[in-house]
Amino acid sequence: MDKHDIAAYLEHIGATLPAVGHGWRKMRCPFHGDKHASAAINYDENRFKCFGCEVKGDVYDLIIYRQGGSYNEALKFAENLSLPGSRGIRKASSFSRRVSFNPTSLGRRGKEISSRDSYRDWE
């Protein structure tokens, strides 16, 4: 079973998300008044952690924290938000929207790397 996307749920509750990338990305916590970034989201692992209020976990943990209830109720809540025609949270898919692979942009500062480049050119 694929989990629902934690980023979509955080957007749903009004959080401002950091740029998509690998690893933990700093952000302001939507669960308490945050003046500085005390939370982080990991898009790869679909996880959230706040070092201020100590809320952490996957999308279902966050739903339980905010809405209350059990795991099954959180799952139903996420499914209801994901109904067709609603702008709710969607299922997370592995790298479908997170990582764009463009072979022409591989290289430092956008410099294209081709097979004709040799190590001598870099010295």
Side-chain angles (χ1 to χ4, degrees):
M1 178 179 96
D2 292 333
K3 288 186 177 183
H4 288 84
D5 190 6
I6 198 164
Y9 177 70
L10 289 171
E11 282 180 340
H12 173 75
I13 62 173
T16 302
L17 297 176
V20 175
H22 293 290
W24 290 94
R25 314 289 287 188
K26 293 180 184 178
M27 64 180 286
R28 290 185 178 171
C29 181
F31 298 104
H32 72 276
D34 214 2
K35 293 181 182 178
H36 302 287
S38 66
I41 184 171
N42 189 318
Y43 293 105
D44 299 327
E45 296 177 10
N46 209 26
R47 310 270 309 158
F48 174 86
K49 166 85 170 134
C50 178
F51 297 95
C53 64
E54 298 189 10
V55 173
K56 63 182 176 181
D58 62 8
V59 65
Y60 309 115
D61 293 327
L62 300 185
I63 292 171
I64 290 169
Y65 178 81
R66 185 169 172 104
Q67 308 296 132
S70 67
Y71 176 81
N72 288 333
E73 291 170 335
L75 185 60
K76 288 178 186 176
F77 181 84
E79 287 296 330
N80 286 335
L81 288 177
S82 299
L83 292 175
S86 71
R87 295 191 61 213
I89 60 177
R90 62 202 167 277
K91 295 267 185 172
S93 59
S94 57
F95 302 118
S96 64
R97 71 174 183 87
R98 295 189 179 119
V99 177
S100 64
F101 180 73
N102 183 354
T104 61
S105 66
L106 294 177
R108 188 168 184 188
R109 296 189 179 150
K111 180 177 178 176
E112 290 185 20
I113 298 174
S114 68
S115 60
R116 61 189 155 98
D117 291 337
S118 67
Y119 289 108
R120 290 182 306 218
D121 297 336
W122 293 94
E123 294 179 358

